[in-house]
Each structure stands twice: as structure tokens, then as C-alpha cells.
Amino acid sequence: MSQVFLGMPAHAPADVRALHGTQPFPAAARTALADSQLRRNLGAATATIRGKRAAAVAEVDDWEQLRFAGQQIKAATMARLDEHLIRLEQAVTERGGTVHWARDAAEANRIVTELVKAAGADEVVKVKSMATQEIGLNEALAEAGIAAWETDLAELIVQLGHDTPSHILVPAIHRNRAEVREIFLREMPGVDPDLADDPRELAMAARTHLRRKFLTAQVAVSGANFAVADTGTLVVVESEGNGRMCLTLPPTLITVMGIEKVVPSWADLEVYLQLLPRSSTGERMNPYTSTWSGVTAGDGPQEFHLILLDNGRTAVLADDVGREALHCIRCSACLNVCPVYERTGGHAYGSVYPGPIGAVLTPLLTGVLDNPTLPYASTLCGACFDACPVRIDIPSLLVHLRARSTELRAERRLVPTSEAVAMTVASWVMSKPRLFAWATRAARLGRLIARRGRIRSLPPPLSAWTATRDAPEPPTSTFREWWLNGKERS
Amino acid sequence: MTTGSARDEVLARIRHALSASPTEPIEPVRGYRRTGQYSPGAPQLLDRLTERLTDYRAAVHAATPRTLVSVLEAALDGTRRVLVPPGLPAEWIPASAVIDDGGMSPAELDAVDAVLTACTAAAADTGTIVVDASPDQGRRAITLIPDRHVCVVRAAQVVQTVPELLSRVDPHKPLTFISGPSATSDIELRRVEGVHGPRTLIVVLLSD
Ligand code: SF4
């Protein structure tokens, strides 16, 4: 690894596997596109969730005002991130919690492993957390002889299927009920051999399977959706009750949280607790939200550890355009509306963060040279921006990252990626900072005037490029052809 | 200690990242609705809370102080072991109920059929009730492990919006926001009610 100066924002290290796919996106996408079962599963699931989300959002007449507030609170928080984290640390500590800081994945994993060992445990129950997937915690614990049990139903399906997640909210979205049944029959000890492939029966099988674990576990590991700096309150939003089990029953609780999850005040939650459930599961409110600050005598875990994780986030913060990606509340709405995601699925992105947000967040975390093709995994149709509850301008971030990639590769005299070659006009524009700045501004303008959330076309010179790919909901064959064209030209 | 230096390092990285392009944090504009059109306990809110909880497959029963005991009896019908938190109003407590003394282990709680509690507040717009571990609501485990949760909501506790709900709860207490029984959408994104949390949620709406 290159020499890093103290205090310089750092990317996620190259050995963080959950952020580094084994294949570039175009190659992985080609494989995924050939899998028609996968496309059917994804098409059905995303269509269902899109309909539910649209209905849940339509019910809220101040939705746009909530989105603006959600965007502005995050921007204001990032501008003073150090201060908010210090206040959070102080509030959590005052209420009996212990706060740890981790520069990267390896450090966070080491801290968790030591805490589990100190508690004398050789297994932990886990509630779904993107942060712990990102750092590869389960693998690190396994190396230390500690078993990690995923308790979220979708995570359990992924874990039992020896699979990797393909969606932020529903990591097993690529599996249909028949496949889930097969996995349970194969991997779940003592499962009823007559198990049907009815979702209700499958959920009940998971309940039985995990009940004993919940009642006896000594240590739980969770993520956090939000942490309130003023009050030291951690928030976990969930549906199944596995989160409540993990947060309440084991005597020791370890929470791993990205530093960007802090919000300044309790009142900020009134915005996010309205935006998140409607955007993610299309519900007015998710079944359970748990909040706690520090330790409460006689109720829940008596030992609480909070790990604040960097792992590339400070490098994202240092990018004054890319910084916006840290506003993400992981609702997954952008995945569900993305025509590329719908066809390739999450695995093609090679990262624990797939879809439109993954296509920007992953290269921002690792440095764009480590994930040079991801910013091209988009048609720039703009649907993600319209769906995003905190108004992250993902299309502009993608364009920004394409430009960064071109610049950096030119600096290092690397061969341009095939996508860049296929888009010479765009990359020529992007290599000229002034022209590019103008074009991006024009692109933002284009979105402002776009009707019904689609950019019909971008002003020149980007029009040459977008004209071929901004059709809303392009039919499958078009997308496939798009890749094939890219391949032939490279 | 390495963790001490990790703290300094991460904070220094953040300051460095921000110093390259300093931005003054702007005061966020809160143009959204912070209070509802109906005042707490308004009949419209009780109707809406009922409708939204029912939509999530919770059962809602209306009661008055006079009918409360019989409504609770009906809500607990078919259960043998009922647990109540230590501070529940005496007149609500069924004769056979066990009062939680904080000593039952998770495994012992698993043998309880139902729990009966009060709540802290409720929001009609989203069909949400909040319990905060006060003496009439009990420690978190007792509303989690038993398979049936019967929760009494007083009409005056029902507000309209999420902001009003949040302003009525104490962020320092362990809070649980409950909107229907536990559910999952993890298989083909189809909603199935009843996973790890109580599979049956019965809300008793008590008007004065
Ligand atoms: S980028 Fe926006 S839409 Fe996508 S997951 Fe994050 S918050 Fe949701």
C-alpha cells in the first residue's frame, strides 16, 4: 500500500473484498443478462416494490418538502461532521456506552473480534447491516473461530445459500420462493421436509430456526440507520423483529456504524422516519423501529459498544462533488427504479452496494481507479434522482466520476476503459475541465426541465452520448446491444 | 492505544477533507408539516389509526372505561399465561396475570402466551404506537418475546403526524415504534405478517 500521511483522507484499502468485484461491471453484466431466471425474479420483485412505493409516496402531500429537508440536513451535517461525531461520542459515553473508532475494515473487524472474545462468546447474532457486510465481518469472525448468525430473513437466505447479497434492502431479491425452499431444505437443520414454497411457511421456518439463537445469544452485532448526536440515540429500522431480538436480549451489543450516519438532533429523525419506510418497502411505517442511548439499567444489553467506521468515507467527503453520496440512507429506491439494475441484478456491480448508488459510492470509497467501469453502469435516465428521498443527484455524480476516471487514467498513462473509448466525445469533453463544468451544469439543467422524471435529451455536447441511452425503460435487447457494442468497439 | 490514535486520525481526516472546500452549514428549511390538522384524540385520528393499524393486520378494538375489562378479556381470549408490567393500572390487570419483576429470562418469557401493556403515544398517519419501557409498559423483552401483544392506547395519546409523535417521546429512553405485527417482505417482496416479533398485535383504543 502507498504511504499515507497522518490525517489525509483515505480510500477503503484494496483488500476490502466487498467493495472490489472479481470482474469489471460489463463482463459481470453480460453473464447476468444471460440468466433469464434471474431477470424474471428481479423484474417481478422490482415491479411489485415500485408500485408500493409510488402509492406510499403519493399519500404524502409534503413529500417534496421532506425530500428537501432530508437533503439539507445531511449536507449541513457533513459540513461539520467532526463536531457531530464528537458530540455523539460524548453523549453515548455519558449514558454508559463505549465508543471506538476504526480507520478501516481491518481495524473495525479487530475491535469486534476482541470484544466478542472478551465477552467469552464464540458466536454472535447479527441484524442486517451494510457496514458489517462492507468490512467482511463474518469472514473475519470465522477466522477467529466465532460463528456469526445472520437473522434477517433475506440475509439468512444469502448466508445459507453460500451466496452474496444483491440488493441493499432485500439481499436475496435474486432468489424466488422455490429457490429459497430448496436452500432451507438443504441447509437448515431439522427443517420440516414437507416445507412448501409459500412465503409464509418459509418465514415460519426461519422463525423456528432462529428462536433458540435469540434466546441464548450472549453477543449481538448490529448496524445503525441513524445516530443522534445531541442525545446519543442509535436507531435501527426493521420489519421482522430480529432487530429487536438482537438489540434487546443478548447482554452485550456491538454496533458498527459508518461515520456518515450521524444526524445532529432528535427532530431530524422526523424527516428520515417519514422518508425511509415509504421509499424502501413502500410502507407508511416499517413494523419496528428501535432506539436506545447507551445502557438502560434492568433493560436490554448492559454493555454497549459503538464502532465509528471510516473505511473510505473520509475520501468521499474530500471529493466536494462526490460527498453527496454520503447522504444515502440506504432505502434502495434507486435500485428498484433503475433499468440497468433491473436487468443485471446486484451481483454484477461486484460490491455490497449495487445499483445506482453503488455505481457512485463504491468507486468513491475505493478510488475510481479500483472500480473504473462502475460509473458507466447507468443509462443516465435520471429515474434514481427522482426516486431518491434525499435528492442525491446520482446522474451528475456518475458523470463526475467518469470524468475523474478519464483524468486519472490519462495522468497515469493507462489505457482508457472500453466504455471510455465508446464515448470519446463525452470523455473529450470531460478531459477539459471548463467545458466539462459547463456540460455538467447543462446536464443538471436538463434534469430540471425534464418531464416526468426522464431526461429526454441532454444539451450538446452530451446529447451525442445520451441520445442513444436515455429512453425510459429501454427494452432488454437494447441494453444488451449496448453492452455488445461496447465490447466490439473496445 | 491504537484506538485513541484511530480517533485522532479519523477526525484529522475529516477536517482535512472539509478544509479543501469549506462550506458553511446552512440551516435546513423545514417546509414540511410538523403538526396535523386534528388535535390529539380527535375522532378522525382514532378512525385513521384504526384503519392504518388494521391495514397492517393488527386488530383494533374500541373500549370505554366501562367496557375496558370485557374488551381486554376478549383480547386475551385463548391465552393461558399473561404477563403485565409492574406499573399497569390495577383495574386493567386480569386476575390470572403474572406481574413482571424483571427476573424472567428470555427462555422463561418464551413460555408466556401474551403480554398486556399501556403505551407512550401513537401516530394516526402511519399507524404507529410507541412503548418506552415506563412502568406501565415494561422492559423491552416483555413486549417482544410473548407471541401476542395487547396494547392499550388512550385516545388522548393519539396524534396525527410523525413529528408530533417524536416530540412526545423521550430519546433517552429505550423506545420501540410498532406499526403492526412483525412482517417481512424478503421473499419476492411480498409482505408476510408475523416473523420474530409478536405475531398478533391487538390494540385497544380507550376513549374517555
Ligand atoms: S441513493 Fe437515495 S434512493 Fe438510492 S439507496 Fe440511497 S437514499 Fe435511497
Side-chain angles (χ1 to χ4, degrees):
Chain A
M1 253 187 2
S2 58
Q3 163 104 33
V4 182
F5 297 102
L6 184 74
M8 289 298 280
H11 286 119
D15 61 356
V16 178
R17 279 198 312 236
L19 297 174
H20 295 84
T22 49
Q23 279 184 306
F25 182 79
R30 268 192 294 274
T31 317
L33 285 170
D35 183 343
S36 53
Q37 177 68 54
L38 172 75
R39 291 227 313 284
R40 261 198 306 278
N41 293 355
L42 275 171
T46 53
T48 306
I49 196 71
R50 279 198 301 269
K52 284 172 68 179
R53 176 193 163 275
V57 166
E59 219 178 74
V60 181
D61 49 21
D62 54 351
W63 185 252
E64 287 308 313
Q65 286 88 336
L66 284 165
R67 287 180 76 212
F68 274 110
Q71 173 184 31
Q72 291 173 358
I73 293 166
K74 285 286 183 181
T77 309
M78 295 310 150
R80 292 283 182 274
L81 186 58
D82 51 338
E83 294 168 19
H84 296 303
L85 289 170
I86 290 170
R87 287 196 303 128
L88 174 68
E89 177 186 45
Q90 191 183 345
V92 169
T93 309
E94 271 168 14
R95 308 199 70 83
T98 307
V99 177
H100 309 255
W101 300 70
R103 282 166 280 215
D104 56 25
E107 188 161 41
N109 287 333
R110 205 159 50 235
I111 296 169
V112 178
T113 307
E114 279 164 16
L115 289 170
V116 176
K117 284 189 173 157
D122 60 4
E123 61 175 22
V124 302
V125 284
K126 282 188 68 202
V127 51
K128 179 174 150 21
S129 123
M130 299 301 299
T132 61
Q133 282 170 27
E134 173 190 321
I135 62 178
L137 178 65
N138 292 7
E139 294 75 14
L141 288 175
E143 268 172 39
I146 299 162
W149 303 100
E150 293 292 352
T151 65
D152 173 80
L153 178 53
E155 286 289 347
L156 179 70
I157 295 166
V158 167
Q159 188 177 41
L160 292 178
H162 310 288
D163 203 351
T164 53
S166 71
H167 189 274
I168 296 178
L169 178 74
V170 198
I173 196 171
H174 55 291
R175 300 287 197 186
N176 64 26
R177 58 183 80 189
E179 294 169 291
V180 173
R181 173 178 175 270
E182 270 171 39
I183 292 171
F184 280 12
L185 286 178
R186 201 172 58 230
E187 303 281 340
M188 212 179 247
V191 74
D192 175 3
D194 295 328
L195 184 70
D197 68 1
D198 165 43
R200 183 171 307 275
E201 264 198 50
L202 295 168
M204 286 314 108
R207 175 185 167 103
T208 312
H209 173 68
L210 288 171
R211 197 80 180 167
R212 194 114 307 274
K213 292 264 176 264
F214 286 135
L215 299 180
T216 57
Q218 295 302 302
V219 180
V221 177
S222 86
N225 292 92
F226 308 98
V228 181
D230 275 353
T231 58
T233 311
L234 277 291
V235 182
V236 165
V237 172
E238 56 130 357
S239 296
E240 295 168 13
N242 62 311
R244 292 178 71 189
M245 292 280 180
C246 290
L247 300 171
T248 309
L249 300 184
T252 298
L253 171 62
I254 304 168
T255 299
V256 183
M257 180 190 109
I259 51 174
E260 80 282 18
K261 297 284 173 198
V262 67
V263 295
S265 73
W266 179 251
D268 298 328
L269 290 180
E270 71 192 22
V271 175
Y272 298 111
L273 289 184
Q274 293 192 73
L275 291 171
L276 180 54
R278 291 185 197 259
S279 300
S280 57
T281 49
E283 293 165 307
R284 295 186 181 106
M285 189 63 90
N286 51 291
Y288 298 135
T289 296
S290 296
T291 75
W292 71 99
S293 46
V295 165
T296 308
D299 189 342
Q302 295 302 297
E303 204 179 311
F304 169 54
H305 296 271
L306 174 63
I307 299 172
L308 299 173
L309 173 74
D310 179 354
N311 204 40
R313 284 158 179 79
T314 49
V316 185
L317 192 68
D319 180 328
D320 62 345
V321 178
R323 185 179 292 176
E324 205 184 340
L326 294 177
H327 299 181
C328 174
I329 58 172
R330 311 273 189 269
C331 73
S332 73
C334 59
L335 279 62
N336 300 330
V337 300
C338 177
V340 176
Y341 177 86
E342 189 181 5
R343 286 158 179 80
T344 64
H347 289 149
Y349 295 78
S351 162
V352 51
Y353 303 110
I357 184 60
V360 293
L361 187 59
T362 308
L364 282 164
L365 287 169
T366 62
V368 72
L369 287 178
D370 275 15
N371 275 294
T373 56
L374 278 182
Y376 295 92
S378 165
T379 66
L380 299 181
C381 74
C384 49
F385 170 72
D386 294 325
C388 179
V390 292
R391 298 177 44 89
I392 299 175
D393 189 351
I394 296 175
S396 291
L397 294 188
L398 288 162
V399 172
H400 165 72
L401 282 172
R402 291 176 187 186
R404 282 295 292 152
S405 166
T406 309
E407 257 169 44
L408 287 171
R409 296 183 81 86
E411 264 171 34
R412 290 172 202 217
R413 301 187 190 288
L414 293 169
V415 187
T417 62
S418 56
E419 295 69 33
V421 170
M423 301 192 333
T424 37
V425 177
S427 34
W428 176 77
V429 173
M430 288 170 190
S431 67
K432 308 275 178 292
R434 292 251 297 290
L435 247 183
F436 169 61
W438 174 81
T440 330
R441 229 172 299 132
R444 283 180 192 256
L445 196 67
R447 198 161 26 262
L448 281 179
I449 58 175
R451 291 267 173 87
R452 305 200 57 79
R454 294 281 188 280
I455 313 173
R456 298 293 168 201
S457 65
L458 289 176
L462 289 188
S463 55
W465 161 32
T466 55
T468 55
R469 62 183 72 183
D470 67 351
E473 304 285 334
T476 315
S477 57
T478 306
F479 182 67
R480 194 182 270 169
E481 282 161 20
W482 186 72
W483 282 119
L484 292 176
N485 286 342
K487 187 187 180 188
E488 276 155 22
R489 273 191 248 174
S490 61
Chain B
M1 242 184 89
T2 55
T3 49
S5 66
R7 178 185 191 274
D8 295 345
E9 169 84 27
V10 173
L11 287 171
R13 288 176 180 181
I14 293 170
R15 288 172 189 140
H16 194 281
L18 292 173
S19 68
S21 54
T23 42
E24 278 305 309
I26 43 150
E27 188 54 38
V29 178
R30 297 181 190 268
Y32 53 90
R33 230 158 17 102
R34 298 187 84 180
T35 47
Q37 62 197 119
Y38 303 110
S39 51
Q44 291 90 341
L45 295 187
L46 304 188
D47 288 348
R48 188 176 297 178
L49 180 69
T50 304
E51 175 215 313
R52 308 233 148 143
L53 278 166
T54 313
D55 195 29
Y56 288 148
R57 308 283 180 276
V60 182
H61 302 308
T64 63
R66 229 168 28 81
T67 63
L68 181 64
V69 168
S70 62
V71 171
L72 290 178
E73 254 170 35
L76 292 166
D77 188 39
T79 57
R80 282 177 300 113
R81 301 197 59 199
V82 178
L83 190 68
V84 297
L88 201 69
E91 63 275 20
W92 297 5
I93 303 179
S96 60
V98 177
I99 298 175
D100 180 49
D101 61 0
M104 286 170 93
S105 69
E108 286 165 333
L109 288 172
D110 202 26
V112 169
D113 300 315
V115 63
L116 167 63
T117 72
C119 80
T120 306
D125 277 357
T126 56
T128 305
I129 56 181
V130 178
V131 288
D132 77 352
S134 290
D136 60 354
Q137 296 152 56
R139 58 190 173 117
R140 282 173 284 175
I142 70 164
T143 47
L144 172 61
I145 301 176
D147 207 14
R148 184 183 308 190
H149 181 190
V150 179
C151 185
V152 179
V153 178
R154 295 183 179 89
Q157 293 180 312
V158 182
V159 296
Q160 183 176 336
T161 65
V162 171
E164 289 167 287
L165 181 70
L166 284 171
S167 70
R168 278 169 186 244
V169 297
D170 178 355
H172 289 134
K173 289 187 170 176
L175 303 175
T176 308
F177 294 67
I178 301 172
S179 307
S182 70
T184 181
S185 305
D186 279 355
I187 299 171
E188 300 178 7
L189 285 171
R190 309 220 171 246
R191 198 172 198 273
V192 174
E193 283 82 15
V195 198
H196 303 296
R199 284 180 284 192
T200 306
L201 172 67
I202 302 176
V203 173
V204 175
L205 205 45
L206 176 62
S207 53
D208 332 288

